[in-house]
Amino acid sequence: MRAKSFDTFCSIGSEFITKESISNVKSLQVRTLLNGNVQHENTVSNMIYDIAYCVSFFSKVMTLHPGDIILTGTPGPAVIEDGDCIECQIEGMLPLKNKVKDMKKVPQQI
């Protein structure tokens, strides 16, 4: 969760779905695309930590409620630059796309 705690680093969406709409979470394909090109691709079953372990771990240090989100990371990193488009695709869901903007290049308002 630490990596997603930086300002602008925690995009969520573009839709939320219920567990009933997924027959086998472990078989889902997850992809990271940079400017439309696949950078990394894997299945949930290959995650370093199993989903059940993640839920168990976090439930021991915080109260979890329906609708809470546990951030697990990506299938692999991508080096991003100003102007790039980074995309997350999870099988059966709408993609999440973000345009990269170097905030040092944005005029600061007073």
XYZ file of all heavy atoms in Angstrom:
849
model
N 0.821 -1.198 0.000
C 0.000 0.000 0.000
C 0.859 1.254 0.000
O 0.406 2.286 -0.453
C -0.937 -0.007 1.196
C -2.040 -1.030 1.053
S -3.193 -1.136 2.430
C -3.811 0.497 2.580
N 2.098 1.157 0.487
C 2.952 2.338 0.568
C 3.170 2.974 -0.800
O 3.104 4.184 -0.952
C 4.290 1.963 1.199
C 5.227 3.144 1.342
C 6.534 2.748 1.955
N 7.206 1.830 1.043
C 8.244 1.100 1.366
N 8.734 1.141 2.570
N 8.802 0.306 0.497
N 3.398 2.159 -1.839
C 3.670 2.698 -3.172
C 2.485 3.465 -3.731
O 2.658 4.347 -4.567
C 4.072 1.571 -4.119
N 1.285 3.162 -3.300
C 0.095 3.842 -3.796
C -0.311 5.013 -2.905
O -1.342 5.634 -3.129
C -1.073 2.857 -3.914
C -0.818 1.747 -4.906
C -0.677 2.299 -6.298
C -0.441 1.181 -7.310
N -0.079 1.698 -8.612
N 0.494 5.322 -1.890
C 0.162 6.396 -0.960
C 0.692 7.757 -1.402
O 0.333 8.774 -0.828
C 0.702 6.072 0.434
O 0.070 4.906 0.926
N 1.540 7.792 -2.412
C 2.049 9.066 -2.905
C 0.925 9.811 -3.628
O 0.058 9.192 -4.255
C 3.219 8.846 -3.866
C 4.418 8.208 -3.223
C 4.689 6.864 -3.413
C 5.260 8.956 -2.420
C 5.780 6.271 -2.822
C 6.368 8.368 -1.821
C 6.628 7.021 -2.023
N 0.944 11.143 -3.556
C -0.057 11.945 -4.248
C -0.123 11.544 -5.716
O 0.907 11.389 -6.367
C 0.272 13.437 -4.145
C 0.092 13.977 -2.734
O -0.535 13.294 -1.907
O 0.586 15.081 -2.468
N -1.304 11.369 -6.233
C -1.643 11.031 -7.624
C -1.309 9.594 -8.022
O -1.484 9.220 -9.167
C -0.995 11.993 -8.665
O 0.396 11.723 -8.796
C -1.222 13.448 -8.302
N -0.847 8.748 -7.119
C -0.420 7.392 -7.471
C -1.468 6.319 -7.177
O -1.175 5.148 -7.279
C 0.882 7.027 -6.744
C 2.115 7.503 -7.446
C 2.370 8.852 -7.616
C 3.030 6.594 -7.950
C 3.502 9.289 -8.263
C 4.173 7.029 -8.605
C 4.409 8.378 -8.764
N -2.678 6.696 -6.814
C -3.679 5.688 -6.462
C -4.962 5.883 -7.262
O -5.975 6.331 -6.737
C -3.976 5.700 -4.965
S -5.034 4.320 -4.451
N -4.890 5.534 -8.521
C -6.093 5.594 -9.360
C -6.931 4.361 -9.076
O -6.403 3.259 -8.974
C -5.709 5.587 -10.829
O -4.935 6.713 -11.123
N -8.221 4.553 -8.955
C -9.125 3.436 -8.706
C -10.290 3.545 -9.686
O -10.845 4.607 -9.892
C -9.627 3.434 -7.250
C -8.451 3.260 -6.304
C -10.662 2.351 -7.036
C -8.799 3.349 -4.847
N -10.655 2.447 -10.272
C -11.756 2.435 -11.226
C -11.345 1.578 -12.404
O -10.430 0.793 -12.275
N -11.861 1.626 -13.470
C -12.915 2.547 -13.846
C -14.296 1.987 -13.523
O -15.317 2.613 -13.824
C -12.823 2.861 -15.343
O -12.802 1.652 -16.085
N -14.348 0.852 -12.895
C -15.610 0.301 -12.408
C -15.337 -0.608 -11.217
O -14.226 -1.089 -11.023
C -16.329 -0.478 -13.506
C -15.621 -1.755 -13.931
C -16.370 -2.519 -15.006
O -17.602 -2.441 -15.065
O -15.710 -3.206 -15.796
N -16.359 -0.786 -10.416
C -16.301 -1.747 -9.319
C -17.273 -2.867 -9.651
O -18.368 -2.624 -10.140
C -16.700 -1.097 -7.985
C -15.684 -0.109 -7.494
C -15.889 1.246 -7.674
C -14.532 -0.534 -6.873
C -14.966 2.164 -7.231
C -13.591 0.375 -6.427
C -13.807 1.734 -6.601
N -16.864 -4.086 -9.404
C -17.743 -5.221 -9.663
C -17.843 -6.069 -8.399
O -16.988 -5.992 -7.523
C -17.245 -6.070 -10.853
C -15.854 -6.645 -10.560
C -17.224 -5.259 -12.126
C -15.393 -7.629 -11.603
N -18.871 -6.872 -8.311
C -19.065 -7.721 -7.140
C -18.407 -9.078 -7.374
O -18.180 -9.493 -8.513
C -20.562 -7.929 -6.858
O -21.139 -8.606 -7.973
C -21.268 -6.596 -6.625
N -18.123 -9.764 -6.283
C -17.481 -11.074 -6.380
C -18.340 -12.084 -7.134
O -17.827 -13.006 -7.748
C -17.120 -11.606 -4.989
C -18.317 -11.874 -4.100
C -17.882 -12.362 -2.732
C -19.095 -12.610 -1.858
N -18.717 -13.083 -0.541
N -19.659 -11.870 -7.120
C -20.555 -12.790 -7.814
C -20.384 -12.740 -9.335
O -20.740 -13.682 -10.033
C -22.023 -12.485 -7.463
C -22.395 -12.780 -6.025
C -21.972 -11.675 -5.050
O -21.722 -10.545 -5.490
O -21.866 -11.981 -3.852
N -19.832 -11.654 -9.846
C -19.671 -11.523 -11.301
C -18.367 -12.145 -11.809
O -18.104 -12.125 -13.005
C -19.751 -10.055 -11.707
O -18.705 -9.322 -11.111
N -17.582 -12.714 -10.901
C -16.315 -13.358 -11.286
C -16.389 -14.819 -10.865
O -16.562 -15.129 -9.689
C -15.117 -12.694 -10.595
C -15.055 -11.205 -10.942
C -13.819 -13.377 -10.988
C -14.024 -10.446 -10.157
N -16.234 -15.713 -11.829
C -16.331 -17.134 -11.492
C -15.043 -17.657 -10.851
O -15.093 -18.486 -9.953
C -16.681 -17.955 -12.730
O -15.690 -17.795 -13.729
N -13.886 -17.183 -11.295
C -12.626 -17.672 -10.746
C -11.606 -16.528 -10.725
O -10.939 -16.260 -11.719
C -12.092 -18.838 -11.580
C -10.819 -19.438 -11.001
O -10.299 -18.973 -9.994
N -10.329 -20.479 -11.640
N -11.506 -15.867 -9.582
C -10.603 -14.720 -9.446
C -9.174 -15.092 -9.810
O -8.470 -14.336 -10.479
C -10.656 -14.157 -8.004
C -9.582 -13.118 -7.783
C -12.014 -13.580 -7.707
N -8.722 -16.264 -9.393
C -7.327 -16.655 -9.615
C -6.968 -16.790 -11.093
O -5.805 -16.717 -11.466
C -7.008 -17.943 -8.874
C -6.992 -17.766 -7.371
C -6.589 -19.041 -6.675
C -6.537 -18.815 -5.178
N -5.951 -19.950 -4.478
N -7.962 -16.961 -11.956
C -7.668 -17.135 -13.382
C -7.653 -15.808 -14.155
O -7.319 -15.791 -15.338
C -8.682 -18.082 -14.024
O -9.956 -17.465 -14.087
N -7.996 -14.706 -13.490
C -8.052 -13.413 -14.178
C -6.680 -12.994 -14.711
O -5.672 -13.101 -14.013
C -8.564 -12.322 -13.242
C -10.025 -12.375 -12.841
C -10.339 -11.262 -11.849
C -10.932 -12.282 -14.048
N -6.671 -12.495 -15.943
C -5.463 -11.934 -16.547
C -5.375 -10.461 -16.152
O -6.352 -9.729 -16.229
C -5.528 -12.034 -18.066
C -5.434 -13.431 -18.604
C -4.013 -13.956 -18.557
O -3.051 -13.239 -18.792
N -3.880 -15.225 -18.229
N -4.173 -10.034 -15.762
C -3.920 -8.644 -15.399
C -2.785 -8.142 -16.286
O -1.754 -8.816 -16.421
C -3.533 -8.516 -13.907
C -3.288 -7.078 -13.519
C -4.606 -9.137 -13.021
N -2.974 -6.966 -16.900
C -1.969 -6.419 -17.811
C -1.651 -4.971 -17.466
O -2.526 -4.211 -17.071
C -2.492 -6.431 -19.247
C -2.608 -7.783 -19.851
C -3.246 -7.710 -21.252
N -3.902 -8.970 -21.532
C -5.129 -9.298 -21.161
N -5.868 -8.426 -20.521
N -5.628 -10.475 -21.433
N -0.388 -4.605 -17.666
C 0.049 -3.218 -17.619
C 0.451 -2.831 -19.027
O 1.289 -3.507 -19.639
C 1.267 -3.043 -16.677
O 0.925 -3.481 -15.366
C 1.715 -1.596 -16.620
N -0.161 -1.760 -19.553
C 0.177 -1.268 -20.888
C 0.752 0.131 -20.777
O 0.299 0.938 -19.962
C -1.056 -1.213 -21.790
C -1.613 -2.544 -22.283
C -2.488 -3.193 -21.238
C -2.377 -2.342 -23.560
N 1.742 0.410 -21.585
C 2.343 1.737 -21.667
C 2.199 2.204 -23.101
O 2.713 1.556 -24.022
C 3.814 1.697 -21.246
C 4.581 3.007 -21.332
C 3.971 4.064 -20.412
C 6.050 2.784 -20.986
N 1.461 3.282 -23.293
C 1.202 3.826 -24.627
C 0.664 2.762 -25.575
O 1.047 2.675 -26.740
C 2.459 4.488 -25.194
C 2.934 5.631 -24.313
O 2.133 6.387 -23.789
N 4.230 5.735 -24.130
N -0.235 1.893 -25.035
C -0.890 0.872 -25.840
C -0.111 -0.420 -26.012
O -0.614 -1.373 -26.596
N 1.113 -0.479 -25.494
C 1.944 -1.684 -25.626
C 2.009 -2.438 -24.300
O 2.279 -1.839 -23.256
C 3.365 -1.308 -26.059
C 3.376 -0.611 -27.406
O 2.811 -1.098 -28.370
N 4.014 0.550 -27.462
N 1.757 -3.750 -24.346
C 1.793 -4.562 -23.132
C 3.213 -4.574 -22.569
O 4.168 -4.945 -23.249
C 1.311 -6.008 -23.409
C 1.468 -6.866 -22.160
C -0.130 -6.021 -23.881
N 3.340 -4.153 -21.305
C 4.627 -4.164 -20.605
C 4.762 -5.422 -19.750
O 5.833 -6.009 -19.667
C 4.766 -2.921 -19.711
C 4.714 -1.620 -20.467
C 5.893 -1.455 -21.398
O 7.022 -1.389 -20.954
N 5.616 -1.412 -22.686
N 3.654 -5.779 -19.092
C 3.636 -6.952 -18.214
C 2.253 -7.577 -18.272
O 1.249 -6.882 -18.419
C 3.967 -6.570 -16.772
C 5.333 -5.988 -16.623
N 6.460 -6.766 -16.575
C 5.755 -4.712 -16.553
C 7.522 -5.973 -16.466
N 7.116 -4.728 -16.451
N 2.225 -8.896 -18.128
C 0.956 -9.629 -18.128
C 1.132 -10.861 -17.246
O 2.165 -11.529 -17.285
C 0.612 -10.039 -19.555
C -0.688 -10.788 -19.682
C -1.039 -11.043 -21.142
O -0.136 -11.100 -21.999
O -2.229 -11.201 -21.396
N 0.114 -11.135 -16.450
C 0.169 -12.300 -15.573
C -1.247 -12.637 -15.123
O -2.186 -11.918 -15.430
C 1.077 -12.035 -14.368
C 1.839 -13.266 -13.943
O 1.339 -14.383 -14.053
N 3.046 -13.068 -13.459
N -1.377 -13.721 -14.386
C -2.667 -14.088 -13.817
C -2.634 -13.876 -12.309
O -1.562 -13.902 -11.689
C -3.035 -15.563 -14.102
O -2.033 -16.394 -13.529
C -3.158 -15.824 -15.586
N -3.801 -13.678 -11.730
C -3.917 -13.480 -10.286
C -3.312 -14.671 -9.538
O -2.698 -14.512 -8.480
C -5.389 -13.238 -9.896
C -5.573 -13.246 -8.388
C -5.885 -11.923 -10.495
N -3.429 -15.872 -10.093
C -2.897 -17.068 -9.416
C -1.389 -17.003 -9.217
O -0.847 -17.708 -8.367
C -3.266 -18.330 -10.187
O -2.650 -18.327 -11.463
N -0.702 -16.162 -9.974
C 0.759 -16.038 -9.849
C 1.198 -14.917 -8.921
O 2.391 -14.625 -8.836
C 1.388 -15.834 -11.226
C 1.326 -17.084 -12.061
O 1.374 -18.196 -11.552
N 1.193 -16.909 -13.364
N 0.250 -14.293 -8.222
C 0.632 -13.232 -7.282
C 1.552 -13.805 -6.209
O 1.435 -14.979 -5.839
C -0.613 -12.629 -6.617
C -1.450 -11.783 -7.547
S -3.017 -11.213 -6.831
C -2.548 -10.528 -5.260
N 2.462 -12.985 -5.719
C 3.387 -13.429 -4.672
C 2.612 -13.882 -3.442
O 2.907 -14.909 -2.843
C 4.382 -12.312 -4.312
C 5.290 -12.032 -5.516
C 5.201 -12.687 -3.078
C 6.168 -10.800 -5.359
N 1.591 -13.107 -3.065
C 0.760 -13.455 -1.914
C -0.654 -13.760 -2.397
O -1.264 -12.970 -3.104
C 0.723 -12.324 -0.880
C 2.081 -12.025 -0.311
C 2.793 -10.899 -0.704
C 2.660 -12.890 0.613
C 4.039 -10.630 -0.186
C 3.924 -12.626 1.142
C 4.602 -11.492 0.732
O 5.842 -11.233 1.239
N -1.175 -14.900 -2.006
C -2.538 -15.319 -2.334
C -3.537 -14.299 -1.783
O -3.305 -13.683 -0.742
C -2.764 -16.707 -1.707
C -4.125 -17.259 -2.008
O -4.278 -17.812 -3.103
O -5.024 -17.129 -1.155
N -4.648 -14.130 -2.484
C -5.667 -13.165 -2.065
C -6.169 -13.453 -0.650
O -6.305 -12.544 0.160
C -6.839 -13.139 -3.061
C -6.353 -12.562 -4.383
C -8.004 -12.328 -2.518
C -7.353 -12.646 -5.503
N -6.422 -14.708 -0.342
C -6.900 -15.069 1.006
C -5.876 -14.668 2.064
O -6.236 -14.172 3.141
C -7.201 -16.561 1.088
N -4.586 -14.845 1.764
C -3.533 -14.442 2.702
C -3.572 -12.929 2.907
O -3.464 -12.448 4.038
C -2.154 -14.871 2.196
C -1.043 -14.311 3.041
C -0.663 -14.949 4.212
C -0.410 -13.126 2.691
C 0.341 -14.416 5.017
C 0.582 -12.593 3.478
C 0.956 -13.229 4.642
O 1.934 -12.699 5.435
N -3.729 -12.166 1.817
C -3.763 -10.700 1.920
C -4.915 -10.248 2.806
O -4.734 -9.399 3.688
C -3.885 -10.068 0.536
S -2.434 -10.270 -0.514
N -6.095 -10.808 2.586
C -7.258 -10.431 3.392
C -7.011 -10.788 4.855
O -7.263 -9.983 5.761
C -8.544 -11.103 2.869
C -9.709 -10.863 3.821
C -8.876 -10.601 1.466
N -6.485 -11.979 5.109
C -6.193 -12.403 6.476
C -5.173 -11.482 7.137
O -5.352 -11.043 8.272
C -5.679 -13.844 6.471
O -5.253 -14.226 7.752
N -4.099 -11.174 6.422
C -3.037 -10.316 6.954
C -3.585 -8.941 7.344
O -3.385 -8.473 8.465
C -1.917 -10.160 5.921
C -0.846 -9.205 6.336
C 0.187 -9.624 7.160
C -0.871 -7.880 5.917
C 1.182 -8.732 7.563
C 0.110 -6.988 6.306
C 1.137 -7.416 7.131
N -4.291 -8.296 6.408
C -4.792 -6.956 6.688
C -5.866 -6.959 7.765
O -5.978 -6.008 8.533
C -5.294 -6.275 5.412
C -4.167 -5.796 4.550
C -3.895 -6.425 3.348
C -3.365 -4.742 4.943
C -2.840 -5.993 2.552
C -2.315 -4.298 4.158
C -2.051 -4.930 2.959
N -6.652 -8.023 7.839
C -7.702 -8.070 8.866
C -7.122 -8.190 10.272
O -7.811 -7.908 11.243
C -8.667 -9.228 8.599
O -8.042 -10.473 8.849
N -5.857 -8.563 10.373
C -5.208 -8.651 11.689
C -4.675 -7.298 12.161
O -4.377 -7.132 13.346
C -4.070 -9.668 11.643
C -4.582 -11.082 11.492
C -3.457 -12.075 11.329
C -4.042 -13.460 11.088
N -3.074 -14.410 10.611
N -4.532 -6.334 11.239
C -3.988 -5.031 11.627
C -4.979 -3.888 11.457
O -4.705 -2.771 11.878
C -2.682 -4.710 10.861
C -1.601 -5.707 11.209
C -2.913 -4.669 9.363
N -6.120 -4.150 10.805
C -7.135 -3.118 10.632
C -8.499 -3.767 10.457
O -8.592 -4.930 10.077
C -6.812 -2.227 9.428
C -6.875 -2.958 8.095
S -6.451 -1.913 6.691
C -4.686 -1.832 6.828
N -9.524 -3.011 10.756
C -10.876 -3.502 10.555
C -11.237 -3.373 9.085
O -11.092 -2.298 8.507
C -11.873 -2.695 11.408
O -11.472 -2.794 12.777
C -13.288 -3.219 11.243
N -11.672 -4.457 8.493
C -12.105 -4.436 7.097
C -13.626 -4.422 7.045
O -14.288 -5.120 7.812
C -11.566 -5.657 6.351
C -10.047 -5.736 6.208
C -9.632 -7.042 5.529
C -9.519 -4.543 5.421
N -14.154 -3.616 6.135
C -15.596 -3.492 5.944
C -15.937 -3.795 4.497
O -15.088 -3.642 3.604
C -16.059 -2.067 6.276
C -15.802 -1.672 7.688
N -16.572 -2.099 8.745
C -14.841 -0.883 8.226
C -16.114 -1.597 9.863
N -15.054 -0.853 9.583
N -17.169 -4.200 4.216
C -17.576 -4.401 2.821
C -17.292 -3.137 2.008
O -17.579 -2.024 2.452
C -19.084 -4.668 2.915
C -19.267 -5.224 4.288
C -18.263 -4.492 5.153
N -16.670 -3.320 0.857
C -16.326 -2.193 0.005
C -14.912 -1.686 0.191
O -14.434 -0.887 -0.602
N -14.213 -2.130 1.244
C -12.815 -1.735 1.426
C -11.977 -2.253 0.264
O -12.292 -3.279 -0.341
C -12.250 -2.283 2.740
C -12.720 -1.507 3.958
O -13.345 -0.438 3.781
O -12.460 -1.968 5.080
N -10.911 -1.556 -0.029
C -10.032 -1.917 -1.134
C -8.664 -2.283 -0.570
O -8.092 -1.536 0.228
C -9.901 -0.742 -2.127
C -11.267 -0.448 -2.738
C -8.856 -1.041 -3.190
C -11.321 0.833 -3.535
N -8.138 -3.421 -0.986
C -6.785 -3.836 -0.629
C -5.937 -3.699 -1.885
O -6.225 -4.314 -2.908
C -6.749 -5.284 -0.101
C -7.549 -5.377 1.196
C -5.310 -5.742 0.100
C -7.695 -6.785 1.743
N -4.918 -2.871 -1.822
C -4.050 -2.617 -2.967
C -2.960 -3.684 -3.008
O -2.228 -3.856 -2.042
C -3.434 -1.223 -2.856
C -4.461 -0.092 -2.704
C -3.765 1.210 -2.359
C -5.286 0.052 -3.961
N -2.862 -4.389 -4.125
C -1.919 -5.510 -4.209
C -0.758 -5.266 -5.158
O 0.171 -6.048 -5.194
C -2.641 -6.788 -4.666
O -3.226 -6.553 -5.942
C -3.700 -7.199 -3.655
N -0.803 -4.232 -5.958
C 0.290 -3.967 -6.880
C -0.068 -4.317 -8.306
O -1.228 -4.425 -8.672
N 0.951 -4.499 -9.133
C 0.785 -4.734 -10.559
C 1.557 -5.972 -10.984
O 2.386 -6.475 -10.221
C 1.327 -3.541 -11.368
O 2.751 -3.484 -11.201
C 0.719 -2.227 -10.918
N 1.335 -6.453 -12.209
C 2.119 -7.600 -12.671
C 3.570 -7.239 -12.967
O 4.387 -8.101 -13.216
C 1.386 -8.060 -13.929
C 0.620 -6.891 -14.395
C 0.298 -6.080 -13.176
N 3.902 -5.960 -12.934
C 5.276 -5.519 -13.155
C 5.327 -4.027 -13.379
O 4.337 -3.413 -13.762
N 6.482 -3.411 -13.147
C 6.599 -1.958 -13.252
C 6.747 -1.486 -14.698
O 7.075 -2.259 -15.592
C 7.874 -1.657 -12.463
C 8.712 -2.886 -12.669
C 7.730 -4.039 -12.696
N 6.520 -0.209 -14.887
C 6.758 0.439 -16.174
C 7.393 1.790 -15.885
O 6.968 2.498 -14.975
C 5.454 0.616 -16.946
N 8.413 2.130 -16.626
C 9.038 3.441 -16.491
C 8.181 4.432 -17.272
O 7.964 4.251 -18.470
C 10.485 3.429 -17.033
C 11.096 4.813 -16.946
C 11.328 2.422 -16.262
N 7.669 5.434 -16.566
C 6.748 6.378 -17.188
C 7.383 7.761 -17.284
O 8.212 8.137 -16.459
C 5.409 6.443 -16.422
C 5.644 6.781 -14.945
C 4.650 5.145 -16.564
C 4.368 6.961 -14.133
N 6.936 8.505 -18.312
C 7.432 9.862 -18.530
C 6.261 10.774 -18.846
O 5.175 10.313 -19.220
C 8.423 9.877 -19.694
C 9.665 9.050 -19.443
C 10.613 9.046 -20.629
O 10.310 9.687 -21.659
O 11.672 8.415 -20.524
N 6.488 12.070 -18.736
C 5.477 13.070 -19.047
C 4.880 12.802 -20.423
O 5.604 12.583 -21.393
C 6.121 14.460 -19.009
C 5.108 15.580 -19.155
O 4.100 15.554 -18.437
O 5.336 16.465 -20.001
N 3.542 12.759 -20.481
C 2.851 12.546 -21.744
C 2.474 11.105 -22.035
O 1.689 10.830 -22.938
N 3.039 10.149 -21.291
C 2.705 8.738 -21.494
C 1.271 8.450 -21.066
O 0.675 9.192 -20.282
C 3.635 7.830 -20.673
C 5.022 7.694 -21.259
O 5.212 8.021 -22.445
O 5.931 7.260 -20.520
N 0.740 7.332 -21.549
C -0.548 6.824 -21.099
C -0.296 5.446 -20.494
O 0.207 4.547 -21.165
C -1.538 6.716 -22.256
S -3.150 6.071 -21.735
N -0.597 5.291 -19.222
C -0.418 4.016 -18.532
C -1.803 3.413 -18.322
O -2.754 4.117 -17.992
C 0.360 4.183 -17.200
C 0.807 2.851 -16.635
C -0.409 4.989 -16.195
C 2.003 2.255 -17.295
N -1.913 2.127 -18.567
C -3.221 1.478 -18.536
C -3.144 0.165 -17.768
O -2.196 -0.598 -17.900
C -3.664 1.215 -19.975
C -5.004 0.579 -20.125
C -5.406 0.451 -21.589
O -4.796 1.096 -22.462
O -6.344 -0.319 -21.858
N -4.177 -0.079 -16.979
C -4.339 -1.345 -16.276
C -5.537 -2.053 -16.893
O -6.607 -1.471 -17.025
C -4.587 -1.098 -14.795
S -5.048 -2.587 -13.896
N -5.334 -3.304 -17.270
C -6.434 -4.113 -17.798
C -6.579 -5.359 -16.936
O -5.599 -6.051 -16.686
C -6.159 -4.546 -19.240
C -6.144 -3.439 -20.244
C -5.872 -3.947 -21.643
O -5.498 -5.091 -21.860
N -6.053 -3.076 -22.621
N -7.800 -5.594 -16.499
C -8.126 -6.823 -15.787
C -9.251 -7.477 -16.570
O -10.273 -6.841 -16.850
C -8.551 -6.572 -14.336
C -7.426 -5.855 -13.581
C -8.921 -7.886 -13.641
C -7.796 -5.435 -12.169
N -9.036 -8.721 -16.922
C -9.991 -9.460 -17.746
C -11.419 -9.284 -17.252
O -11.701 -9.444 -16.070
C -9.590 -10.930 -17.718
C -10.410 -11.846 -18.556
C -9.932 -13.288 -18.447
O -9.058 -13.590 -17.620
O -10.464 -14.098 -19.193
N -12.324 -8.930 -18.158
C -13.733 -8.801 -17.826
C -14.134 -7.462 -17.244
O -15.296 -7.259 -16.898
N -13.185 -6.531 -17.107
C -13.480 -5.207 -16.542
C -13.056 -4.130 -17.533
O -12.213 -4.359 -18.394
C -12.713 -5.004 -15.235
C -13.064 -5.977 -14.161
S -12.105 -5.625 -12.684
C -12.148 -7.218 -11.901
N -13.646 -2.958 -17.374
C -13.227 -1.828 -18.195
C -11.799 -1.447 -17.828
O -11.410 -1.530 -16.657
C -14.157 -0.632 -17.969
C -15.609 -0.813 -18.402
C -16.447 0.372 -17.922
C -15.693 -0.961 -19.910
N -10.984 -1.023 -18.782
C -9.605 -0.638 -18.463
C -9.555 0.668 -17.669
O -10.462 1.495 -17.748
C -8.952 -0.470 -19.831
C -10.077 -0.180 -20.762
C -11.283 -0.896 -20.201
N -8.488 0.840 -16.920
C -8.215 2.076 -16.193
C -7.034 2.732 -16.888
O -5.946 2.147 -16.961
C -7.880 1.781 -14.730
C -7.390 2.957 -13.889
C -8.478 4.022 -13.768
C -6.955 2.482 -12.515
N -7.242 3.923 -17.446
C -6.198 4.626 -18.184
C -5.890 5.947 -17.505
O -6.794 6.651 -17.066
C -6.646 4.914 -19.621
C -6.903 3.688 -20.446
C -7.320 4.079 -21.848
C -7.643 2.861 -22.689
N -7.987 3.223 -24.074
N -4.599 6.266 -17.433
C -4.167 7.537 -16.863
C -3.094 8.155 -17.735
O -2.146 7.489 -18.134
C -3.603 7.338 -15.451
C -4.681 7.046 -14.445
O -5.449 7.914 -14.096
N -4.758 5.804 -14.008
N -3.262 9.439 -18.001
C -2.252 10.200 -18.720
C -1.232 10.691 -17.695
O -1.610 11.214 -16.643
C -2.922 11.382 -19.429
C -2.037 12.142 -20.333
C -2.027 11.503 -21.690
C -1.357 12.457 -22.678
N -1.219 11.904 -23.971
N 0.041 10.506 -17.987
C 1.107 10.907 -17.065
C 1.428 12.385 -17.285
O 1.614 12.824 -18.416
C 2.383 10.057 -17.291
C 3.503 10.514 -16.372
C 2.067 8.578 -17.075
N 1.465 13.121 -16.181
C 1.798 14.538 -16.256
C 2.879 14.830 -15.219
O 2.706 14.543 -14.037
C 0.563 15.385 -15.973
C 0.799 16.873 -16.132
C -0.446 17.676 -15.829
C -1.391 17.571 -17.005
N -2.533 18.493 -16.892
N 3.990 15.373 -15.679
C 5.078 15.767 -14.780
C 4.651 17.051 -14.078
O 4.590 18.117 -14.695
C 6.366 15.986 -15.572
C 7.561 16.282 -14.689
O 7.372 16.648 -13.508
O 8.700 16.158 -15.183
N 4.335 16.943 -12.800
C 3.814 18.085 -12.060
C 4.839 19.210 -11.919
O 4.472 20.346 -11.649
C 3.307 17.639 -10.682
C 2.112 16.683 -10.768
S 0.754 17.312 -11.791
C 0.137 18.593 -10.726
N 6.122 18.922 -12.123
C 7.141 19.974 -12.080
C 7.014 20.897 -13.287
O 7.500 22.012 -13.269
C 8.540 19.360 -12.035
C 8.840 18.620 -10.753
C 10.237 18.065 -10.793
C 10.251 16.765 -10.048
N 11.293 15.872 -10.473
N 6.362 20.413 -14.344
C 6.191 21.193 -15.567
C 4.878 21.966 -15.586
O 4.626 22.743 -16.491
C 6.269 20.285 -16.792
C 7.614 19.630 -16.973
C 7.625 18.764 -18.211
C 8.976 18.112 -18.403
N 9.013 17.277 -19.615
N 4.028 21.736 -14.592
C 2.724 22.410 -14.526
C 2.889 23.708 -13.759
O 3.425 23.707 -12.654
C 1.673 21.503 -13.828
C 0.365 22.232 -13.648
C 1.496 20.217 -14.609
N 2.429 24.833 -14.332
C 2.530 26.117 -13.602
C 1.796 26.043 -12.265
O 0.667 25.558 -12.198
C 1.862 27.127 -14.541
C 1.826 26.460 -15.877
C 1.802 24.980 -15.627
N 2.433 26.465 -11.221
C 1.839 26.471 -9.881
C 0.969 27.696 -9.698
O 1.359 28.802 -10.056
C 2.922 26.427 -8.792
C 3.816 25.194 -8.871
C 3.032 23.914 -8.664
O 2.230 23.814 -7.746
N 3.265 22.940 -9.531
N -0.223 27.490 -9.134
C -1.115 28.611 -8.851
C -0.938 29.048 -7.416
O -0.737 28.231 -6.526
C -2.555 28.199 -9.111
C -2.819 27.863 -10.553
C -4.284 27.539 -10.790
O -5.114 27.722 -9.925
N -4.583 27.052 -11.981
N -1.038 30.334 -7.188
C -0.861 30.872 -5.843
C -2.212 31.152 -5.225
O -3.133 31.535 -5.808
C -0.004 32.156 -5.859
C 1.383 31.819 -6.412
C 0.093 32.754 -4.481
C 2.275 33.001 -6.572
